[in-house]
Amino acid sequence: PAIIKITLRYLQPPEFKTEVLEETRGWVENQVELGGLRICLSGPTRFLSRKSILAFNFTRMQLCLFGGQLWQGPLRGGQTAEAQFFQASIRDQAFFAYFLVEQDLIAARGRGGGLALWGRIVDGA
């Protein structure tokens, strides 16, 4: 619905740069806004280019109300999960296997078999 705004952002901070070409390390932020409430989940990612798989783990959460931060902190042992994320097997992590990547549309299957679709929204359009 138009009253809910969901934003997904992928980042590659310098500390996640890797020499391994088959794997790109990064960070994801998944933000949901409803009225004045904003919830942001974030955590590390691994993209395996050979298989078009993006593994991720949401390890941090931030809650804001009308622009003011209410709470920010780790989820489910987030610090430990972050430290172990890049050593864990892909089959033990949440992931998406991408099968369509276009300029304004991305489609993937989740680890559990569900279908995920993303569309690009350009601000001001």
Side-chain angles (χ1 to χ4, degrees):
I3 62 170
I4 298 175
K5 180 180 178 186
I6 300 173
T7 307
L8 190 61
R9 223 169 68 146
Y10 295 104
L11 309 163
Q12 189 178 17
E15 65 269 20
F16 288 152
K17 296 279 186 205
T18 179
E19 297 299 317
V20 181
L21 297 177
E22 301 87 41
E23 179 180 307
T24 303
R25 296 177 178 188
W27 193 260
V28 64
E29 293 178 348
N30 189 2
Q31 184 171 281
V32 177
E33 293 180 61
L34 175 62
L37 179 64
R38 180 173 46 122
I39 301 169
C40 182
L41 300 175
S42 62
T45 64
R46 299 167 61 188
F47 181 70
L48 305 177
S49 59
R50 192 170 48 106
K51 296 183 179 184
S52 293
I53 290 177
L54 180 79
F56 61 93
N57 189 0
F58 293 123
T59 56
R60 301 180 191 187
M61 185 167 112
Q62 180 184 47
L63 293 173
C64 296
L65 187 60
F66 298 108
Q69 182 173 290
L70 297 175
W71 183 82
Q72 178 175 324
L75 291 173
R76 306 178 308 254
Q79 293 172 330
T80 302
E82 281 179 28
Q84 298 171 349
F85 179 77
F86 296 110
Q87 289 75 38
S89 171
I90 291 291
R91 70 172 180 248
D92 296 329
Q93 297 177 329
F95 65 80
F96 287 111
Y98 295 93
F99 60 87
L100 175 68
V101 179
E102 299 287 332
Q103 178 67 26
D104 296 323
L105 178 67
I106 298 175
R109 287 266 179 217
R111 176 179 166 199
L115 177 65
L117 300 170
W118 296 272
R120 181 186 306 252
I121 298 175
V122 179
D123 288 336

